[in-house]
Amino acid sequence: MISTMLNGGRILLGPGPSIIPERVLKAMAKPVLGHLDPDFIAMMDEMKALLRYTFQTENNVTFAISGPGSAAMEMSLVNMIEPGEKAIVCSNGYFGERMRGMIVRNGSIPVDVKAEEGQPIDPVKLDKALSEHPDISVVTMVYAETSTGVQSNLKELSDVVHAHNAICVVDMVPALGGSVIKTDEWKIDVAYAGSQKCLSCTPGVSPITFSDRALEKILSRKKPVSSWFYDLKMIVDYWGSGQKRAYHHTAPINSLYALHEALTIIKEEGIENRWERHKKVQNYAQDKFEALGLRNIVEQEYRMPQLHAVEIPQGVDDFECRKRLIKEFNIELGAGLGDRLGKVWRIGFMGEAAQTTYVDYCVDALKKVL
Ligand SMILES: *Cc1c(COP(=O)(O)O)cnc(C)c1O
């Protein structure tokens, strides 16, 4: 039985937020503690270890920032790229463009490596751009582009970046806890994620990790980060390594309890098992969608496991269907982003929802409204 159907919560099957399990909701309801309380600090230390496990990294600087995935994106970019500095921006969709926009606002200079919409980032194009710009030391990219449902080959891209001795900053917002991620093995220098996608946690706290190479680049900056809030050097004193903790800002205490619980659930399941579960449910769902006549618009080998981008069949009213799904079945699906609105649905089985029972419920509901 689907638990959220019992407690009345919406069945969230879009690109995030995803369904939050009962255990995580309960953790969030604990009485608040001070942000320098020894019990809270012990919880933060545990959380750093859980995050390292989930990212598959030994990076010392691994923590959760107070803010949504976009805040983690901004923090990564403003620390890693100085104003006036050029950086390669790989973009194959909406979130790649968001990274680009942040880089421009930071006074930095984007050098674009663009992919056709619906295609992964091309390592050959990236290699060419790095050869043409030997002065560039930072490359940014989105691993799983939720806007199109495309997952790029991160290991291959990272190999190209490192062949040119550059640093890669990777958006893993929907990927963490769903897609295979091997931060250290793949030599990813900076990665950040979201809590409300495959971690099935409350929105507003975002995992982030920096390698030693990335930290060296930050330490060699000519000027400090102009944003007070996002200056990594200051936040590290709060998340610190045990003894000396300094107030930086009041952490979202209860959201961090929730994240701690969500990560504990992942540890209990085992990260490989979780990746495997997402993959299995992806295969199960895509067969069912195909049988329904819902065509996935992404080539098989580039599909992200936790999100299906399917074409809305001819003659079907997008808005009316989604309205009925909510009213009659309590299901929220994702609409198309930008000019894909009305043409595409984004159906996500993320974290807690990556179970065949959710797929079956969703497919039955779609059968009725289509
Ligand atoms: C959801 C998402 C984001 C933004 O996360 P917010 O928490 O909404 O700020 C960034 N990148 C990707 C790929 C996403 O899917």
Side-chain angles (χ1 to χ4, degrees), residues 42-57:
M43 193 275 276
M44 288 165 86
D45 284 339
E46 262 178 44
M47 175 135 72
K48 288 194 288 185
L50 289 165
L51 283 172
R52 284 187 196 109
Y53 171 71
T54 311
F55 273 119
Q56 294 282 290
T57 182

Side-chain angles (χ1 to χ4, degrees), residues 45-91:
D45 284 339
E46 262 178 44
M47 175 135 72
K48 288 194 288 185
L50 289 165
L51 283 172
R52 284 187 196 109
Y53 171 71
T54 311
F55 273 119
Q56 294 282 290
T57 182
E58 299 293 323
N59 288 343
N60 184 39
V61 178
T62 303
F63 62 103
I65 98 158
S66 308
S70 304
M73 183 189 282
E74 188 139 21
M75 184 178 194
S76 307
L77 299 173
V78 302
N79 279 277
M80 295 310 301
I81 312 167
E82 293 203 56
E85 184 181 345
K86 286 195 284 179
I88 289 183
V89 180
C90 300
S91 164

Side-chain angles (χ1 to χ4, degrees), residues 66 90 137 149 166 221 287 308-309:
S66 308
C90 300
S137 61
R221 286 178 66 101
D287 291 348
H308 302 255

Side-chain angles (χ1 to χ4, degrees), residues 36-337:
L36 289 171
D37 188 292
D39 288 354
F40 188 66
I41 285 178
M43 193 275 276
M44 288 165 86
D45 284 339
E46 262 178 44
M47 175 135 72
K48 288 194 288 185
L50 289 165
L51 283 172
R52 284 187 196 109
Y53 171 71
T54 311
F55 273 119
Q56 294 282 290
T57 182
E58 299 293 323
N59 288 343
N60 184 39
V61 178
T62 303
F63 62 103
I65 98 158
S66 308
S70 304
M73 183 189 282
E74 188 139 21
M75 184 178 194
S76 307
L77 299 173
V78 302
N79 279 277
M80 295 310 301
I81 312 167
E82 293 203 56
E85 184 181 345
K86 286 195 284 179
I88 289 183
V89 180
C90 300
S91 164
N92 61 338
Y94 182 88
F95 290 106
E97 289 305 302
R98 179 172 291 187
M99 290 177 105
R100 186 182 192 283
M102 286 182 184
I103 288 169
V104 170
R105 279 168 187 254
N106 189 48
S108 310
I109 304 147
V111 172
D112 296 307
V113 172
K114 269 198 200 297
E116 297 280 322
E117 190 164 296
Q119 291 297 314
I121 301 160
D122 181 356
V124 177
K125 270 195 191 166
L126 173 59
D127 187 50
K128 190 161 167 278
L130 278 161
S131 299
E132 283 167 5
H133 299 273
D135 53 328
I136 288 185
S137 61
V138 177
V139 177
T140 72
M141 62 185 71
V142 176
Y143 179 22
E145 210 358 304
T146 329
S147 62
T148 60
V150 172
Q151 184 164 286
S152 293
N153 187 330
L154 187 53
K155 184 189 177 304
E156 214 171 74
L157 292 165
S158 179
D159 284 346
V160 172
V161 172
H162 289 283
H164 291 268
N165 207 22
I167 280 174
C168 62
V169 177
V170 181
D171 177 308
M172 296 185 178
V173 174
L176 192 70
S179 305
V180 176
I181 288 175
K182 299 182 175 176
T183 302
D184 284 0
E185 195 181 312
W186 295 347
K187 299 195 178 73
I188 308 302
D189 299 287
V190 180
Y192 59 86
S195 51
Q196 78 277 27
K197 307 213 179 181
C198 289
L199 303 184
S200 286
C201 182
T202 190
V205 281
S206 301
I208 193 163
T209 184
F210 292 83
S211 71
D212 289 344
R213 276 183 84 225
L215 296 176
E216 267 168 42
K217 167 112 175 41
I218 295 174
L219 286 173
S220 71
R221 286 178 66 101
K222 293 192 199 76
K223 282 196 180 151
V225 175
S226 66
S227 156
W228 180 90
F229 191 74
Y230 290 124
D231 187 343
L232 181 72
K233 280 194 220 163
M234 295 168 71
I235 295 185
V236 163
D237 286 342
Y238 175 51
W239 277 86
S241 44
Q243 315 81 5
K244 199 179 68 108
R245 302 285 182 129
Y247 163 74
H248 180 267
H249 65 278
T250 309
I253 313 284
N254 292 56
S255 301
L256 289 171
Y257 281 144
L259 183 59
H260 181 275
E261 190 66 15
L263 294 167
T264 302
I265 291 173
I266 292 179
K267 186 79 194 271
E268 286 169 7
E269 178 176 11
I271 192 73
E272 283 93 358
N273 295 335
R274 196 174 176 96
W275 297 335
E276 190 60 31
R277 174 161 63 83
H278 279 84
K279 191 76 206 160
K280 271 194 192 139
V281 169
Q282 174 192 19
N283 292 336
Y284 183 81
Q286 71 191 11
D287 291 348
K288 296 258 172 175
F289 289 147
E290 253 164 50
L292 256 188
L294 289 174
R295 192 181 72 86
N296 194 310
I297 58 168
V298 182
E299 279 168 63
Q300 180 76 50
E301 90 178 275
Y302 304 124
R303 290 176 191 170
M304 52 192 277
Q306 58 283 69
L307 188 87
H308 302 255
V310 300
E311 199 170 52
I312 302 173
Q314 286 272 313
V316 169
D317 183 332
D318 169 32
F319 187 74
E320 195 53 37
C321 267
R322 282 189 290 118
K323 208 168 89 184
R324 280 191 62 198
L325 284 171
I326 287 198
K327 258 186 93 173
E328 294 168 33
F329 300 95
N330 200 25
I331 292 179
E332 182 190 278
L333 297 188
L337 258 185

